[in-house]
Amino acid sequence: MENRMECILEKYKPPIIAAFGNPLLDMCTTISDSNILDKYGLVPNGQKEVSDGDLKIFRDIRNSFTVEYHPGGAAQNTLRIFQWLISYPFYSVFFGAVGNDDEGKLIEKLVKNSGVETRYKYHDDYPTGSCLALINGENRSLIGHLGAANMYEPSDLLQHMQILDQSTKLWRE
């Protein structure tokens, strides 16, 4: 398997695989009681998607707790695993949308540090999508907001057709 992968990597220039999805900034923090859950109408082991008007919980958590940040979203994480497995950076490319904000810059940095090339569409009017995990002992509560991740349009991909064509070359031969 290793020799076959090395042959592929020598023969084809990157990227050799592409993915599309909702790039999310995952935020994890540990809470010691249910006060924050009660304040926002959450339950242990529950999940909730919030609207643009309900983003106060994300600010409260960042201001009051120590938060760990990780790139999220299934497709983006799949490419991160692919990059880890092959140990050659930037043989994958991810397409999606993020906000033109600090969280968008952070997720791009984290994803690129994982060896995944990004081609994000940046939105000024929508924040970067995020998922907050509140961990309390064995319980976890998830709060999600898709934000800009929901705003990627097929027309956004048109400017990247050369990259997309390159990423499918291996699979067409």
Side-chain angles (χ1 to χ4, degrees):
M1 172 83 168
E2 187 173 312
N3 288 339
R4 177 159 164 65
M5 182 56 74
E6 286 177 7
C7 289
I8 289 171
L9 297 179
E10 287 175 13
K11 184 176 179 181
Y12 299 96
K13 66 179 189 171
I16 62 171
I17 190 169
F20 312 81
N22 291 335
L24 301 176
L25 182 61
D26 287 350
M27 303 165 36
C28 301
T29 191
T30 301
I31 58 175
S32 59
D33 55 41
S34 64
N35 290 343
I36 196 83
L37 300 179
D38 296 339
K39 179 177 179 179
Y40 288 100
L42 304 170
V43 296
N45 291 321
Q47 53 194 17
K48 179 179 182 179
E49 186 174 342
V50 296
S51 66
D52 291 343
D54 296 325
L55 297 178
K56 188 175 185 316
I57 187 171
F58 290 94
R59 286 187 296 277
D60 284 355
I61 294 299
R62 279 194 293 265
N63 292 336
S64 303
F65 295 89
T66 301
V67 177
E68 290 182 30
Y69 296 94
H70 306 278
Q76 191 163 249
N77 282 343
T78 298
L79 291 183
R80 291 175 59 225
I81 293 168
F82 169 79
Q83 289 297 162
W84 174 73
L85 288 172
I86 68 167
S87 299
Y88 291 89
F90 305 112
Y91 271 80
S92 64
V93 61
F94 180 83
F95 300 92
V98 297
N100 192 10
D101 53 24
D102 289 341
E103 289 78 11
K105 291 178 183 82
L106 177 58
I107 194 172
E108 183 168 36
K109 177 184 173 187
L110 293 171
V111 171
K112 285 188 174 189
N113 285 346
S114 298
V116 176
E117 186 58 60
T118 60
R119 291 295 186 265
Y120 292 142
K121 167 73 176 183
Y122 294 94
H123 286 279
D124 291 328
D125 297 331
Y126 299 95
T128 297
S130 52
C131 181
L132 173 60
L134 301 174
I135 303 161
N136 185 359
E138 295 180 5
N139 299 312
R140 61 100 185 107
S141 298
L142 300 176
I143 302 95
H145 180 259
L146 293 178
N150 253 355
M151 299 298 133
Y152 197 79
E153 300 289 335
S155 60
D156 296 329
L157 186 60
L158 293 176
Q159 63 186 313
H160 301 294
M161 291 308 292
Q162 184 177 0
I163 295 168
L164 187 58
D165 185 58
Q166 174 63 36
S167 70
T168 60
K169 190 175 184 177
L170 166 68
W171 314 110
R172 290 178 287 156
E173 293 182 357

